[in-house]
Amino acid sequence: MVINNYLDANEPASSEARLSRMHFHDNQRKVDYVLAYHYRKRGAHLGHGSPGHSLAVISNGETGKERHGGGPGDIELGPLDALEEERREQRDEFEHNLMAAGLELEKDLESKSQGSVFVRIHAPWQVLAREAEFLKIKVPTKKMYEIKAGGSIAKKFSAILQTLSSPLQPRVPEHSNNRMKNLSYPFSREKMYLYNIQEKDAFFDNATRSRIVHEILKRTACSRANNTMGINSLIANNIYEAAYPLHDGEYDSPGDDMNDRKLLYQEWARYGVFYKFQPIDLIRKYFGEKIGLYFAWLGLYTSFLIPSSVIGVIVFLYGCATIEEDIPSKEMCDHQNAFTMCPLCDKSCDYWNLSSACGTARASHLFDNPATVFFSIFMALWATMFLENWKRLQMRLGYFWDLTGIEEEEERSQEHSRPEYETKVREKLLKESGKSAVQKLEANSPEDDEDDEDKLTWKDRFPGYLMNSVSILFMIALTFSIVFGVIVYRITTAAALSLNKATRSNVRVTVTATAVIINLVVILILDEIYGAVAKWLTKIEVPKTEQTFEERLILKAFLLKFVNAYSPIFYVAFFKGRFVGRPGSYVYVFDGYRMEECAPGGCLMELCIQLSIIMLGKQLIQNNIFEIGVPKLKKLFRKLKDETEPGESDPDHSKRPEQWDLDYSLEPYTGLTPEYMEMIIQFGFVTLFVASFPLAPVFALLNNVIEVRLDAKKFVTELRRPDAVRTKDIGIWFDILSGIGKFSVIINAFVIAVTSDFIPRLVYQYSYSHNGTLHGFVNHTLSFFNVSQLKEGTQPENSQFDQEVQFCRFKDYREPPWAPNPYEFSKQYWSVLSARLAFVIIFQNLVMFLSVLVDWMIPDIPTDISDQIKKEKSLLVDFFLKEEHEKVKLADEPAQRSQGGGNRSRRSRAASSAPSGRSQPGSIASSGSQHTNV
């Protein structure tokens, strides 16, 4: 039974003890972890003047005075009281089991009728040493060695870079000298002599201590709670509200006292230091390897956006500089050589001159020029180089952070079953016949759950898999339906605006702008819905471990959000204007409403507008306003809830709040999936359709400069401290990035070949032009139609055109009305189509070959890191042998002294009984022989 030692609040406590907010009441034991729960006593209001038992200290083997039970306000147990009593018993048992595991606990006394209680947990040295050995935590040894920077040229170049970048470096103390590195080895209690343990309380840093305690919390069972395993199950069952490690003090505390959190805030989590590099080592030390790798990846991605942004701006400026030299746009803007175009809709639309679309044609040249083709090739190679450099940086960080030795078995040993999985297994066992309920519960004991075998068969999971498949297909169909709904909106709005003379001139701009805004709003709403749906679908699959749950959640969320974000863009790029038909034989969506056509300059300009508005809108609204505004609203709501919550006033409210109180008021950490997902979708915008929007990397760079500091501020100031998770890579996200990089090659090939006019211009220039220029290209792309063949009822009503129209033009490669096969596809159509397909094949294979070549030329593991890893293994062996020799030598010294004393006594006795001339040499020889034998 857990014994509470209630300390009377009237007993004076030392001022020194109250100055520390990171330790127990004794100011000796450090708080490594905190459990929080809300209680409601069955007693009535105890009143503000109840005698002050303020603290209950629970520690191993300690006895003390027990709190007097009962009181004038006690009432009979009701249903809620019975539930609260059951939860209290479960908490008592769980805390008793934690103590049995060696942890020491301290918690406040439940002195009010209801309130929150914080259970502070301290891990003593014996527990830390035991768990560090079990978890194979690598710790630095006494041995240090120098890291060679390479040849003299490399050293000089590195020194120059260091000098030039010194203003950009954060002012943080280097926790590990870049030139010197400690040999690291998994902690072992039998090899304590290997480590430089000067002070046991400071040997493991705070992140490692909390990680060790969290591992104990995850595997500690509670039989009263249906044999549930771990703190996550108890939180899921509302027995505890939260479990979290403490931050290292306040980030905005006045004074010169410095802690890692305050240092991170000053040098990393403020917008004023946006130009500085990130202190990745300090981030890893404070938050753990998993979060450290995320910010290292985000930093590398942001830095790689700089060259792509520069090239993108150059491509855009090239389009601006050559816009006056673009012959097709000049021909379209020529009012003297005007082309009479066929009506854009039935009845209400009149014939129109192509020169009225001059502005659209000129703007299209900014993004539809030969430079965009080379930029697409560059971006495909850029994506490959980014991924290769990330693999190299990942290996480098793995070497400096001692992640190179993490094995799959070690990672699996740290995985525990999820509460939902345990509940499902328990329900399955209870349904099986031939066992009593008690036997079935015993069969599901924690000892039997240690194996890796999945206790749920495919039959158990089939309903979940079926629901997943149906739901995902339904969500994708819903996305396509909404895209089709926006198409119908564009068609009907265009037809309605064409009826009014005042709005007829701005129909295309109005329809495009409003439709894109509708698409953006729908995407933002569906993003939130799909995120919740993906989580629900993953839960009904009942994955066994958190890692499996996270991977499946990521795949579902990425699939749904990818379809949601890119469906409108894919429609404009590859489908809009492809199924229009021709004058006299149009394709109708509804009666009287034709399928929409591309603008005279092509769909590329509209694709650019669609891409830019959706990308910028998502970044501005979803990534920044939501990330800043939603946490502040949640914090305000929680504050208002706490203020309006009934209960006695806290007499200690005026005192300085403890660190666990401050951290409890912060938002809980929910994982890195939203952060990664946001950047992955942005990576798709930057790579997939970059041929239509060369400025995408620029806007992504501007967003990421803010995003790095926004995420940093969120982690340092707004979230509870996450548990330190040790991992050697970014997991499934790398595979998604690699897939997007390969997919982008195909998409950009089709954008250039199908959406832009690049291929038709090449075909005309080298096959049909009389002088090898683009003069006459616009006339070449326009077909003739005899207006007398328009269907009855579709002719323009009250045509205001200046002259009588006999033939109108429309954009397509078709035979003229006077040809033997009028309006059939012409030879030019098949020539352009074959050229487009050939370009896709050549472009795709060329870029893929260059990507493979770049991949082959850049080794995944840097040469210097590979050499240092080999050197470290050799040094580790030598260090082991030396330390073992020193250990044996130290162990043998007492034996030698004992042997030496025995020899001296024997020599003195021999000297007294033997002749002096012979005894002394003999005794010396004997002594030397004895030492040699030892």
Side-chain angles (χ1 to χ4, degrees):
M1 179 179 179
V2 176
I3 300 175
N4 293 347
N5 183 22
Y6 294 95
L7 299 184
D8 197 331
N10 297 323
E11 296 175 2
S14 65
S15 59
E16 180 187 2
R18 289 296 86 207
L19 288 176
S20 173
R21 300 160 64 197
M22 303 288 295
H23 292 76
F24 276 12
H25 193 270
D26 57 10
N27 203 32
Q28 299 292 325
R29 292 170 288 182
K30 185 182 294 184
V31 177
D32 298 316
Y33 219 87
V34 175
L35 306 180
Y37 65 87
H38 188 84
Y39 71 91
R40 190 181 66 84
K41 297 176 70 174
R42 61 190 175 105
H45 297 293
L46 296 177
H48 308 320
S50 60
H53 299 310
S54 66
L55 194 72
V57 177
I58 312 173
S59 57
N60 296 336
E62 188 174 341
T63 60
K65 54 189 178 183
E66 295 187 4
R67 181 178 178 273
H68 298 291
D74 288 350
I75 59 175
E76 295 296 325
L77 284 175
L80 290 177
D81 295 319
L83 179 62
E84 183 62 35
E85 184 69 17
E86 182 183 356
R87 289 176 177 171
R88 185 189 63 78
E89 292 175 355
Q90 293 171 0
R91 285 193 293 266
D92 287 345
E93 185 201 351
F94 184 71
E95 290 164 11
H96 172 78
N97 293 339
L98 292 179
M99 289 173 53
L103 298 176
E104 298 177 3
L105 279 64
E106 176 188 80
K107 68 176 179 178
D108 300 320
L109 181 65
E110 300 175 2
S111 59
K112 299 186 293 184
S113 62
Q114 64 177 0
S116 297
V117 171
F118 301 98
V119 181
R120 280 88 71 186
I121 302 175
H122 169 75
W125 170 255
Q126 294 82 358
V127 175
L128 293 173
R130 181 192 72 209
E131 296 297 323
E133 183 174 354
F134 172 70
L135 296 173
K136 302 177 183 177
I137 294 177
K138 280 190 171 184
V139 293
T141 62
K142 299 176 183 177
K143 176 69 175 177
M144 294 187 72
Y145 68 97
E146 184 180 3
I147 301 173
K148 294 184 179 180
S152 58
I153 299 177
K155 287 182 179 179
K156 290 180 180 178
F157 185 70
S158 177
I160 292 172
L161 282 180
Q162 191 75 16
T163 305
L164 292 176
S165 63
S166 57
L168 305 178
Q169 297 291 343
R171 292 176 296 177
V172 297
E174 294 186 359
H175 296 285
S176 59
N177 193 337
N178 291 331
R179 299 285 309 207
M180 303 297 294
K181 183 178 184 296
N182 280 91
L183 279 177
S184 296
Y185 186 73
F187 187 84
S188 172
R189 287 173 289 179
E190 296 179 355
K191 296 183 173 63
M192 298 282 283
Y193 55 87
L194 296 176
Y195 316 110
N196 188 18
I197 304 176
Q198 297 177 350
E199 187 180 350
K200 289 183 177 180
D201 285 342
F203 182 69
F204 295 104
D205 58 27
N206 291 345
T208 305
R209 294 174 69 99
S210 63
R211 175 189 165 204
I212 288 173
V213 175
H214 187 237
E215 288 296 328
I216 298 175
L217 290 171
K218 285 198 296 185
R219 68 166 188 263
T220 302
C222 182
S223 60
R224 290 180 181 269
N226 295 326
N227 270 349
T228 53
M229 175 70 76
I231 186 63
N232 294 333
S233 302
L234 297 178
I235 292 176
N237 294 327
N238 297 318
I239 297 169
Y240 288 97
E241 280 191 6
Y244 52 91
L246 289 181
H247 277 293
D248 289 357
E250 294 185 63
Y251 65 90
D252 56 353
S253 60
D256 297 332
D257 56 319
M258 187 61 67
N259 56 64
D260 286 347
R261 187 188 187 193
K262 191 173 182 179
L263 190 60
L264 282 172
Y265 176 75
Q266 292 181 354
E267 294 297 323
W268 178 54
R270 293 187 301 115
Y271 296 113
V273 293
F274 72 93
Y275 60 92
K276 289 188 177 183
F277 295 128
Q278 299 183 88
I280 293 297
D281 288 331
L282 184 59
I283 297 169
R284 171 253 180 177
K285 175 178 178 287
Y286 192 80
F287 292 111
E289 284 79 5
K290 188 172 185 178
I291 294 176
L293 283 175
Y294 163 71
F295 281 103
W297 175 85
L298 181 58
L300 182 70
Y301 171 50
T302 303
S303 62
F304 256 73
L305 285 172
I306 296 175
S308 60
S309 299
V310 173
I311 302 297
V313 170
I314 292 174
V315 169
F316 179 74
L317 293 177
Y318 170 81
C320 295
T322 58
I323 192 169
E324 298 297 334
E325 303 172 7
D326 184 47
I327 297 174
S329 61
K330 281 184 177 181
E331 291 183 348
M332 288 184 66
C333 296
D334 187 3
H335 293 277
Q336 296 179 352
N337 189 20
F339 299 96
T340 303
M341 306 297 294
C342 297
L344 295 174
C345 63
D346 295 346
K347 293 185 180 180
S348 58
C349 295
D350 200 356
Y351 303 105
W352 56 287
N353 283 324
L354 185 61
S355 57
S356 63
C358 174
T360 307
R362 290 172 65 87
S364 296
H365 178 73
L366 299 176
F367 305 101
D368 188 3
N369 57 70
T372 57
V373 179
F374 299 102
F375 187 56
S376 300
I377 298 175
F378 168 79
M379 287 302 295
L381 299 180
W382 172 88
T384 304
M385 291 186 67
F386 164 63
L387 294 177
E388 288 302 310
N389 275 273
W390 167 244
K391 285 193 283 187
R392 290 169 63 84
L393 177 60
Q394 194 169 253
M395 285 301 302
R396 189 175 295 277
L397 293 176
Y399 164 69
F400 284 105
W401 294 352
D402 298 314
L403 303 175
T404 52
I406 293 184
E407 302 295 338
E408 295 296 329
E409 292 79 8
E410 180 183 348
E411 292 181 345
R412 283 200 298 267
S413 69
Q414 300 178 22
E415 286 291 338
H416 301 277
S417 299
R418 298 177 61 252
E420 293 83 357
Y421 175 81
E422 292 180 354
T423 304
K424 191 76 173 178
V425 171
R426 193 176 301 111
E427 291 175 356
K428 177 185 176 183
L429 292 174
L430 289 172
K431 288 180 182 178
E432 290 178 353
S433 58
K435 287 185 180 180
S436 67
V438 176
Q439 290 174 329
K440 291 167 189 171
L441 286 175
E442 289 176 351
N444 193 33
S445 62
E447 288 77 13
D448 297 334
D449 198 40
E450 291 178 356
D451 56 19
D452 292 332
E453 183 183 354
D454 194 343
K455 293 183 174 63
L456 297 180
T457 62
W458 68 270
K459 292 182 180 179
D460 301 319
R461 297 181 183 276
F462 180 74
Y465 290 151
L466 181 63
M467 178 62 73
N468 268 263
S469 303
V470 172
S471 300
I472 289 174
L473 290 175
F474 172 76
M475 293 296 168
I476 293 175
L478 175 65
T479 304
F480 291 159
S481 301
I482 292 174
V483 172
F484 180 74
V486 175
I487 295 171
V488 172
Y489 162 80
R490 296 161 67 112
I491 294 171
T492 53
T493 306
L497 292 176
S498 299
L499 297 174
N500 191 342
K501 293 182 180 180
T503 58
R504 191 175 297 171
S505 58
N506 298 319
V507 168
R508 196 178 295 276
V509 176
T510 305
V511 170
T512 301
T514 55
V516 171
I517 293 172
I518 292 172
N519 274 326
L520 174 62
V521 173
V522 169
I523 286 172
L524 293 177
I525 294 172
L526 288 184
D527 252 4
E528 301 302 318
I529 295 174
Y530 286 169
V533 168
K535 194 170 185 178
W536 174 72
L537 290 176
T538 310
K539 283 182 178 178
I540 65 176
E541 272 191 49
V542 200
K544 182 177 181 181
T545 63
E546 287 294 340
Q547 182 178 354
T548 310
F549 178 88
E550 186 179 10
E551 289 179 353
R552 294 184 182 181
L553 172 63
I554 288 169
L555 285 176
K556 291 183 186 64
F558 173 72
L559 175 62
L560 292 175
K561 293 191 176 187
F562 182 89
V563 173
N564 180 42
Y566 295 112
S567 292
I569 301 172
F570 270 91
Y571 164 72
V572 174
F574 304 122
F575 297 101
K576 184 179 179 181
R578 313 290 168 195
F579 311 102
V580 178
R582 60 170 180 81
S585 181
Y586 282 114
V587 177
Y588 290 87
V589 181
F590 302 112
D591 186 29
Y593 294 103
R594 291 172 6 195
M595 283 292 292
E596 57 179 346
E597 302 179 39
C598 288
C603 277
L604 196 69
M605 189 61 200
E606 188 174 341
L607 175 62
C608 174
I609 295 171
Q610 184 103 0
L611 186 67
S612 59
I613 293 180
I614 291 178
M615 179 181 176
L616 295 177
K618 275 181 66 68
Q619 289 184 350
L620 180 64
I621 299 174
Q622 190 178 44
N623 300 357
N624 293 327
I625 294 179
F626 281 9
E627 285 194 28
I628 296 172
V630 172
K632 289 188 180 299
L633 288 175
K634 285 184 178 179
K635 191 174 182 179
L636 178 63
F637 177 75
R638 191 165 52 247
K639 184 178 179 181
L640 293 174
K641 183 181 177 183
D642 292 341
E643 289 177 353
T644 57
E645 192 174 68
E648 303 95 350
S649 61
D650 192 352
D652 297 333
H653 183 71
S654 59
K655 293 183 179 180
R656 188 182 181 192
E658 301 288 353
Q659 188 62 46
W660 44 85
D661 290 303
L662 296 173
D663 288 3
Y664 181 69
S665 65
L666 300 176
E667 279 292 305
Y669 168 73
T670 56
L672 287 171
T673 300
E675 319 300 333
Y676 271 116
M677 188 69 70
E678 173 186 329
M679 290 295 104
I680 296 296
I681 297 296
Q682 185 202 83
F683 183 79
F685 281 120
V686 169
T687 55
L688 289 179
F689 295 94
V690 74
S692 63
F693 189 42
L695 296 179
V698 179
F699 293 110
L701 175 63
L702 296 175
N703 174 80
N704 286 9
V705 170
I706 301 173
E707 181 70 24
V708 171
R709 307 302 161 179
L710 183 64
D711 285 347
K713 188 175 182 181
K714 182 170 67 175
F715 273 88
V716 173
T717 67
E718 297 174 2
L719 296 180
R720 293 174 191 160
R721 187 171 184 173
D723 295 301
V725 178
R726 193 170 173 83
T727 183
K728 60 183 179 181
D729 52 36
I730 60 174
I732 196 173
W733 295 111
F734 182 84
D735 299 325
I736 293 176
L737 284 167
S738 181
I740 290 177
K742 292 179 173 59
F743 190 49
S744 68
V745 177
I746 302 172
I747 295 299
N748 280 298
F750 276 98
V751 167
I752 296 170
V754 176
T755 312
S756 75
D757 279 340
F758 178 74
I759 298 301
R761 291 185 183 192
L762 282 181
V763 172
Y764 174 79
Q765 187 173 358
Y766 294 104
S767 299
Y768 297 98
S769 177
H770 300 292
N771 53 8
T773 64
L774 288 176
H775 288 286
F777 171 73
V778 175
N779 183 55
H780 178 76
T781 59
L782 298 177
S783 300
F784 287 89
F785 181 76
N786 191 339
V787 297
S788 62
Q789 297 177 352
L790 284 172
K791 288 184 178 179
E792 189 67 28
T794 62
Q795 299 93 339
E797 296 178 346
N798 304 319
S799 176
Q800 303 293 321
F801 213 66
D802 296 337
Q803 55 189 6
E804 185 179 350
V805 178
Q806 184 179 1
F807 295 100
C808 64
R809 311 293 293 273
F810 63 99
K811 190 171 183 179
D812 206 347
Y813 292 100
R814 291 183 181 269
E815 296 288 348
W818 53 83
N821 299 312
Y823 309 126
E824 294 291 329
F825 288 118
S826 62
K827 292 181 180 179
Q828 291 91 331
Y829 172 83
W830 300 109
S831 300
V832 171
L833 179 62
S834 58
R836 282 173 165 164
L837 295 177
F839 174 82
V840 169
I841 295 171
I842 294 171
F843 182 89
Q844 177 184 339
N845 285 278
L846 174 64
V847 175
M848 287 292 188
F849 169 75
L850 293 175
S851 300
V852 172
L853 183 64
V854 170
D855 189 359
W856 175 76
M857 291 176 64
I858 303 176
D860 293 347
I861 304 177
T863 307
D864 60 329
I865 296 299
S866 178
D867 294 340
Q868 293 293 345
I869 291 174
K870 294 175 184 177
K871 176 184 176 181
E872 188 172 282
K873 290 180 179 179
S874 175
L875 288 173
L876 194 59
V877 173
D878 295 341
F879 176 63
F880 272 6
L881 294 175
K882 181 180 177 182
E883 290 296 323
E884 287 289 339
H885 179 70
E886 291 291 333
K887 180 184 176 184
V888 172
K889 187 176 180 181
L890 290 173
D892 286 346
E893 282 182 357
Q896 292 177 20
R897 286 196 295 268
S898 175
Q899 287 283 356
N903 289 338
R904 282 194 299 272
S905 64
R906 285 194 296 272
R907 285 199 302 271
S908 62
R909 288 195 296 270
S912 62
S913 61
S916 60
R918 299 182 60 184
S919 64
Q920 189 69 17
S923 65
I924 294 173
S926 175
S927 174
S929 174
Q930 179 69 22
H931 178 72
T932 305
N933 290 338
V934 171

